[in-house]
Amino acid sequence: MPAKIISGKQIAADIRLELKDEVSELRKNDIFPKLVVVLVGNNPASESYVKGKIRAAEEIGMESVLIRYADTISEDELLSKVNDLNKDESVHGILVQLPLPKQISEQRVIEAIAAEKDVDGFHPESVGRMVTGLETFLSCTPAGIMQLLKRSDVSLQGKHAVVVGRSNIVGKPISLLLLQADATVTICHSKTVDLASITKQADVLIAAVGRAEMITKDHVKPGAVVIDVGVNRTDAGLVGDVKFDEVSEIASAITPVPGGVGPMTITMLMANTIESAKRHAG
Amino acid sequence: MPAKIISGKQIAADIRLELKDEVSELRKNDIFPKLVVVLVGNNPASESYVKGKIRAAEEIGMESVLIRYADTISEDELLSKVNDLNKDESVHGILVQLPLPKQISEQRVIEAIAAEKDVDGFHPESVGRMVTGLETFLSCTPAGIMQLLKRSDVSLQGKHAVVVGRSNIVGKPISLLLLQADATVTICHSKTVDLASITKQADVLIAAVGRAEMITKDHVKPGAVVIDVGVNRTDAGLVGDVKFDEVSEIASAITPVPGGVGPMTITMLMANTIESAKRHAG
């Protein structure tokens, strides 16, 4: 029986409707959630990501501001702008689109953003608070995956979740969130020996490697839930880390690419910004 | 063939000798590493831990100061003291012994300690920096385990490490450090189903649960390296989380309790304080 398709597009749309209602309620109480996106240079992928974020903010009726700089901006100038935004009471979320030009330390910029406006969840303090289970902003892709699982009624307690990939923005944080949801969690990566013998144990398999269609049916236990975080541009178009055609034949549920995890990431950014506005007002 | 015993006592003694030399070199350059331990109340276990820390500092020729408060101290008073210590240029490491009396939020105290003096590695920023692989102070027990493995020539790359226990001070951080060392890592806990089927896959098994002798030979693959972080007081005396007698018959190497992980924890605290003094001077 072919797998149920977990439509991130649909779930994201549902959440955005909820967020739209929430924003309109907040506005009645004179709370106006506001996201500022800083874009340096004109990398086409970054342009497209930023456009998606601004559009999503508009869609839910939230204010957003795009600040653009030429790619010759100095680190000092950028840090000073971040500092101003930190102090600006009307701003609830600050996002500096990565990557940044080479004269600028991305880590220094990430750490310059005030933790209480770090809606991307990349600041070390945000990461540390997430790890220890304290209130914080969860980074958007892992938070989006958790929402996909929750809203698809995938139970996690006592299940074996296997995460392939150990990046700071997906692999590590999603592993810790799955752990908090009481799954037994295994983290695999490029140095893992006999990957299939491990991934085949997964009740829930998260592929976050960034290698086109590397997870085949030989890696998947029949009945598993498969979440594909990969976005790989190939000659055949955009594909995930999972060989969708064959894996969808044996999985019980699977996310497509595109239309799976992608739409959730931006949606979680909106949710974080609204949450920030509420905390700030509260 | 019975397992090789990994003597934390011996390895800790070796490291302390190295640290002693390092302190004496630093003193020649007018750098005097200094640790301040704050003890509130007189919990007997805390008294004993603190005594061990002060003694270790003495042993390696490092200055240490013990500040004691009655358990009636207010949170404000304690936070104000931490703040003074943060500003005191002569202090390189600050440790507030836990647990604290109930009128004081431990989390607030942990977060009040300046990250650059957080030699316990408990501050969310320290945790987040550890997760993302940035320079920081590693919390002492997981750092001690990594030293035990390293100095016993246990290779980790591509090995399957299984951690039983998901506490903030041991289970989670040691999982992330093993991952950084290129192991495939599985984290188990009280909700894990069929624990033995998972632990039996471990090339390296870390037991950090706090339940006397719960890991038996039925949980261990012959030839595995077993690290026992448990310290359980029973009628039969101090025992670990591992049933030492039977597991040591099949493991290739194992830490005893006491004399395994325990002595390493305090040693890593000393190493962190010396590192802090060096960073501060550098």
Side-chain angles (χ1 to χ4, degrees), chain B residues 199-248:
Chain B
T199 55
K200 261 181 145 358
Q201 299 179 37
D203 301 308
V204 176
L205 179 61
I206 315 279
V209 193
R211 263 176 62 195
E213 298 183 325
M214 69 160 288
I215 301 292
T216 68
K217 67 177 176 354
D218 297 333
H219 293 84
V220 179
K221 177 168 77 174
V225 173
V226 179
I227 305 289
D228 189 350
V229 190
V231 181
N232 308 287
R233 280 159 227 276
T234 69
D235 293 342
L238 217 60
V239 300
D241 290 349
V242 177
K243 206 157 187 164
F244 185 87
D245 287 350
E246 58 181 62
V247 172
S248 62

Side-chain angles (χ1 to χ4, degrees), chain A residues 156-194:
Chain A
L156 291 167
Q157 181 172 320
K159 297 295 167 61
H160 194 166
V162 176
V163 176
V164 189
R166 55 173 164 175
S167 70
N168 285 333
I169 59 171
V170 184
K172 287 181 200 167
I174 189 62
S175 300
L176 289 154
L177 294 178
L178 291 164
L179 185 67
Q180 261 165 38
D182 288 337
T184 299
V185 178
T186 299
I187 316 169
C188 303
H189 45 80
S190 56
K191 299 294 195 303
T192 293
V193 175
D194 195 0

Side-chain angles (χ1 to χ4, degrees), chain A residues 107 111 122-134 157-160 166 168 172-173 175-176 179-189 191-193 197-198 201, chain B residues 107 111 122-134 157-160 166 168 172-173 175-176 179-189 191-193 197-198 201:
Chain A
Q107 193 56 41
E111 293 188 36
F122 288 172
H123 193 290
E125 184 160 341
S126 307
V127 175
R129 294 182 66 87
M130 182 268 294
V131 173
T132 32
L134 298 167
Q157 181 172 320
K159 297 295 167 61
H160 194 166
R166 55 173 164 175
N168 285 333
K172 287 181 200 167
S175 300
L176 289 154
L179 185 67
Q180 261 165 38
D182 288 337
T184 299
V185 178
T186 299
I187 316 169
C188 303
H189 45 80
K191 299 294 195 303
T192 293
V193 175
S197 74
I198 308 231
Q201 299 178 37
Chain B
Q107 194 56 40
E111 293 189 35
F122 288 172
H123 192 290
E125 184 160 341
S126 307
V127 174
R129 294 182 66 87
M130 182 268 294
V131 173
T132 31
L134 298 167
Q157 180 172 323
K159 297 297 169 61
H160 194 166
R166 54 173 164 174
N168 285 333
K172 287 180 201 167
S175 300
L176 289 154
L179 185 67
Q180 261 165 39
D182 287 337
T184 299
V185 178
T186 300
I187 317 171
C188 303
H189 44 81
K191 298 293 194 306
T192 293
V193 175
S197 74
I198 308 231
Q201 299 179 37

Side-chain angles (χ1 to χ4, degrees), chain A residues 24-37:
Chain A
S24 101
E25 279 305 309
L26 288 172
R27 294 176 77 92
K28 288 183 196 156
N29 295 305
D30 288 330
I31 299 169
F32 304 96
K34 178 170 164 183
L35 171 69
V36 174
V37 178

Side-chain angles (χ1 to χ4, degrees), chain A residues 32-36 63 65 67 80-94 114 116-117 276-277 280:
Chain A
F32 304 96
K34 178 170 164 183
L35 171 69
V36 174
E63 188 180 354
V65 175
I67 301 178
S80 140
K81 184 65 199 176
V82 167
N83 220 11
D84 290 346
L85 293 169
N86 284 342
K87 286 186 215 139
D88 184 338
E89 294 264 316
S90 78
V91 174
H92 305 104
I94 303 170
E116 72 269 18
K117 298 187 180 186
S276 174
H280 185 255

Side-chain angles (χ1 to χ4, degrees), chain A residues 98-110:
Chain A
L98 304 181
L100 292 170
K102 61 182 184 317
Q103 75 273 19
I104 299 174
S105 153
E106 292 185 352
Q107 193 56 41
R108 218 166 287 150
V109 172
I110 288 170

Side-chain angles (χ1 to χ4, degrees), chain B residues 36-47:
Chain B
V36 175
V37 178
V38 178
L39 176 59
V40 178
N42 45 18
N43 174 312
S46 293
E47 292 271 3

